[in-house]
Amino acid sequence: MSKRETWATRVGFLVAAIGSAVGLGNLWQFPFKTAGNGGAAFVAFYLIAVLLIGFPAMLAEFVMGRRTNRNAVDAFTELGHRQWRILGAFAVVTGFWILSYYNVVGGWVLRYIVGSAQGAYFSAPAEYFGAVSAGPEAIAAQLVFLGIVVGIVALGIEDGIEKATKVMVPSIVVLLVMLALWAVTIDGAGAGYAYFLTPSLDAMVENASTAIPFAVGQAFFTLSLGMAIMITYSSYIGADDNLLFDGGTIVIVNTLIGILAGLVVFPILFANNIDPALEGGAGALFVAVASGFGGLPFGELIGVVFFAVVALAALSSAISLMEVTVAWANDNFDISRPVLAVGIGLALFVLGLPSAWDTAYLTWFDNMAYQLLLPLSVLLLVLFVGWVLAGDAVSELRQGAGSLGSFGPIWMWGLRIVVPLFVAATLVLGFQTMFLGEDPAFFAPF
């Protein structure tokens, strides 16, 4: 078995974890989950979900990873609960499932960087998206994106993931801030800000049944929960790290970047009289926002910068998703990391072929992840930490953080009662949408 790696620095862990969280969930999903579920009403539900569900669940994953220094499957054995290993396996499979279609979207992003420089999609954005999003061209782009991810993961924790994310994450923040400052100058930006940032109680009530499941799923997706990422990343840190501080930092930075993304996207849409509520689906970012660049001065340059940000975010998350499976294999088989990365990459490529061939399958894969796999994975994990690990989890959280005061018991009872109730309700709503609705989403691509 290969010697297990660690992060070179605490900053390296924080940046990598932030990079995992700051991905397509923020830049691809968040603006258009917002648009399709009541605008600012969805943002309000999302912020509540992050605070009450996402943050406690993240700490639960941190506790498991650091206490065992093992991958998400073997962590349960290390804790003396081998019979629960199926939970870890389910989380690993969920991450693998998501990465299979995530690579396809990453390939789209690479195509759009080139397309932006050429102004290729300005005259007919929907037709351009249709040409590059499915079929042989999408498969080729998926392979290029996946090749970059495999290359970074193959280099290891310190030399690959840590060094790459230390460049990617600051670049994402700087470029996104620049774009947000530029967006202020666009005529009509105020209407975009109002739509995005001004919730109304009526809109929240009207959109609650559809918005809440997506808001909770968005919190899981964008914080990299339920995919075993945070268990895996925290397994490489030491006992002196303050998990409470680290988790809070990741949640705050990730949420701010999601808000920044909205402050860029919605002014562009409203400045070009594009109704975001009508531009849903997997291609929303690429059709609606891309069409907006064509009507702006220096649209080619703005497009290149925007999709470069999206590409960096996609890569930083994709490498974390791949590391979950590589970590499990690296802990259990005497095979070099580069060989494991290539083998796992080939398996991901095969699973991603349906999503690359037809966007209907990609939407189906995404709905399965958002509405079923992620909520179920998070629900089972928090129940394990809250009711089985229990006091040991509080003790582990206290390591490096000193006395928790009343937070420890509050956090524990939140994991036992509050978080499971919210997640279970989300899971029920997701199940109804997938299997029992007027047009059940489970059967949509078939």
Side-chain angles (χ1 to χ4, degrees):
M1 188 183 299
S2 304
K3 182 180 182 297
R4 211 162 197 277
E5 298 181 79
T6 60
W7 301 107
T9 63
R10 183 182 180 187
V11 171
F13 161 66
L14 274 175
V15 171
I18 291 170
S20 173
V22 177
L24 290 177
N26 275 324
L27 296 166
W28 173 46
Q29 297 275 17
F30 184 57
F32 290 94
K33 287 290 188 290
T34 299
N37 292 281
F42 175 82
V43 177
F45 286 128
Y46 166 73
L47 293 176
I48 293 169
V50 166
L51 179 64
L52 295 183
I53 303 172
F55 181 52
M58 176 179 286
L59 294 179
E61 293 203 17
F62 278 177
V63 161
M64 285 195 60
R66 189 179 68 177
R67 190 170 185 83
T68 61
N69 296 127
R70 302 293 290 169
N71 64 82
V73 179
D74 295 330
F76 291 91
T77 300
E78 191 74 14
L79 291 167
H81 298 283
R82 182 180 175 84
Q83 68 274 22
W84 288 81
R85 281 163 52 94
I86 191 172
L87 275 179
F90 183 75
V92 172
V93 169
T94 297
F96 194 87
W97 175 277
I98 290 170
L99 185 54
S100 72
Y101 68 86
Y102 199 101
N103 291 321
V104 177
V105 182
W108 298 349
V109 177
L110 298 182
R111 289 298 307 271
Y112 267 76
I113 293 175
V114 177
S116 297
Q118 299 171 336
Y121 54 76
F122 286 177
S123 61
E127 288 78 2
Y128 182 84
F129 176 74
V132 305
S133 63
E137 290 193 33
I139 292 173
Q142 169 204 12
L143 190 58
V144 172
F145 181 86
L146 182 56
I148 298 171
V149 175
V150 168
I152 293 171
V153 173
L155 291 173
I157 298 299
E158 183 178 341
D159 291 332
I161 297 174
E162 184 168 347
K163 287 183 177 179
T165 52
K166 279 184 175 178
V167 174
M168 291 177 184
V169 173
S171 299
I172 292 168
V173 174
V174 170
L175 292 173
L176 206 51
V177 168
M178 290 172 58
L179 285 171
L181 291 174
W182 162 81
V184 174
T185 67
I186 303 176
D187 290 337
Y193 295 144
Y195 179 84
F196 181 52
L197 298 175
T198 311
S200 71
L201 184 58
D202 289 343
M204 293 180 69
V205 171
E206 180 182 348
N207 291 277
S209 61
T210 56
I212 289 176
F214 280 115
V216 175
Q218 177 67 23
F220 297 156
F221 194 98
T222 192
L223 293 175
S224 298
L225 302 176
M227 317 172 210
I229 291 173
M230 293 307 176
I231 296 176
T232 303
Y233 271 18
S234 60
S235 74
Y236 299 121
I237 64 176
D240 58 340
D241 278 28
N242 187 327
L243 297 182
L244 195 60
F245 175 83
D246 291 352
T249 300
I250 294 164
V251 166
I252 290 170
V253 173
N254 174 71
T255 302
L256 289 176
I257 290 178
I259 298 297
L260 267 177
L263 294 179
V264 174
V265 169
F266 287 104
I268 293 173
L269 296 180
F270 277 82
N272 289 275
N273 296 315
I274 299 170
D275 184 351
L278 300 178
E279 299 287 350
L285 173 70
F286 301 92
V287 176
V289 176
S291 64
F293 293 143
L296 297 171
F298 308 106
E300 293 90 345
L301 176 60
I302 299 299
V304 168
V305 174
F306 179 83
F307 284 110
V309 173
V310 179
L312 290 171
L315 284 169
S316 65
S317 290
I319 59 179
S320 68
L321 283 164
M322 176 170 276
E323 177 60 25
V324 168
T325 309
V326 170
W328 169 78
N330 200 45
D331 283 350
N332 287 277
F333 303 102
D334 190 16
I335 302 174
S336 70
R337 174 177 276 268
V339 172
L340 289 174
V342 171
I344 291 167
L346 289 173
L348 284 164
F349 175 71
V350 171
L351 183 59
L353 284 175
S355 297
W357 190 255
D358 188 336
T359 56
Y361 284 104
L362 187 146
T363 300
W364 181 76
F365 269 71
D366 186 49
N367 284 337
M368 284 287 291
Y370 253 80
Q371 302 195 55
L372 295 178
L373 299 181
L374 286 177
L376 181 58
S377 180
V378 173
L379 176 63
L380 295 173
L381 179 69
V382 297
L383 288 173
F384 172 81
V385 174
W387 290 100
V388 180
L389 204 55
D392 288 341
V394 177
S395 298
E396 183 63 34
L397 188 63
R398 188 173 286 116
Q399 293 285 333
S403 175
L404 297 175
S406 60
F407 179 79
I410 292 173
W411 171 65
M412 181 51 57
W413 282 106
L415 287 184
R416 289 176 169 178
I417 306 296
V418 178
V419 177
L421 283 176
F422 273 100
V423 179
T426 298
L427 188 59
V428 169
L429 290 171
F431 184 87
Q432 290 176 337
T433 300
M434 292 297 295
F435 294 96
L436 304 176
E438 282 186 23
D439 184 15
F442 182 83
F443 303 101
F446 308 103

